[in-house]
Amino acid sequence: MENNTFYNEILTDHNMHPAHKRKIENANYSLEGINPSCGDDIILSLRVENGVIEDGAFEGDGCAISQASADMMLDLVIGKTVEEAERLSDIFLRMIKGEVTDEEKDELEEASVLSDISHMPARVKCAVLGWHTVDSILEESKKQ
């Protein structure tokens, strides 16, 4: 029960007081991510300079899980290199499938509370929306 309370507190906090739900100036990458099965819709914007994610934000609407997950993801990747962010995204997506070590899960900090989403198949797409969107942006950034 304690873990469930912790999960709810983190989701509620990121949903009610998202640190990264805003518009950023000078974003050089922006991409819309949509989950058509439930209507989650985010626009993720990043400012990447010299291979480092200097700033990031998202706008849009969706369920508490999609919004909190996007906010937690930005907490993790801002200040990281593109390669570090890609690694964190890989760990998150493998965590959702139950394929990570405890050490890898710890690297995800608060985002690790979403590990039990795998037991709620209808919510998996909500949790991974921001992560798949950032993967697409990071892939694009490496082409330039």
Side-chain angles (χ1 to χ4, degrees):
M1 184 68 173
E2 191 173 313
N3 279 345
N4 194 30
T5 301
F6 185 60
Y7 165 86
N8 286 332
E9 286 175 4
I10 290 173
L11 276 184
T12 300
D13 186 49
H14 279 279
N15 197 44
M16 299 287 292
H17 310 287
H20 305 289
K21 190 169 185 177
R22 58 189 168 79
K23 190 172 184 90
I24 63 171
E25 298 300 317
N26 305 320
N28 49 2
Y29 297 97
S30 189
L31 184 64
E32 184 175 25
I34 300 171
N35 179 358
S37 63
C38 69
D40 294 334
D41 186 357
I42 65 166
I43 297 173
L44 182 64
S45 300
L46 298 179
R47 189 174 75 243
V48 180
E49 302 290 339
N50 301 315
V52 176
I53 301 168
E54 298 290 339
D55 198 6
F58 72 100
E59 299 174 275
D61 297 301
C63 69
I65 292 172
S66 72
Q67 301 294 287
S69 183
D71 199 52
M72 287 185 270
M73 184 241 351
L74 286 164
D75 274 349
L76 282 171
V77 302
I78 293 171
K80 301 283 194 297
T81 66
V82 167
E83 292 77 18
E84 290 168 327
E86 287 175 321
R87 181 175 183 282
L88 289 168
S89 182
D90 175 65
I91 292 171
F92 182 86
L93 296 172
R94 287 188 295 112
M95 178 189 72
I96 296 298
K97 297 176 188 174
E99 301 171 354
V100 294
T101 65
D102 287 340
E103 292 78 20
E104 287 176 316
K105 188 175 170 182
D106 287 346
E107 290 182 58
L108 297 174
E109 300 173 10
E110 284 185 331
S112 68
V113 301
L114 294 171
S115 64
D116 287 340
I117 286 292
S118 60
H119 303 300
M120 298 178 261
R123 307 308 299 222
V124 168
K125 288 182 180 178
C126 305
V128 302
L129 178 63
W131 296 86
H132 283 306
T133 307
V134 80
D135 280 347
S136 296
I137 289 175
L138 296 176
E139 192 61 38
E140 183 63 28
S141 77
K142 291 185 339 186
K143 293 177 184 175
Q144 296 181 357

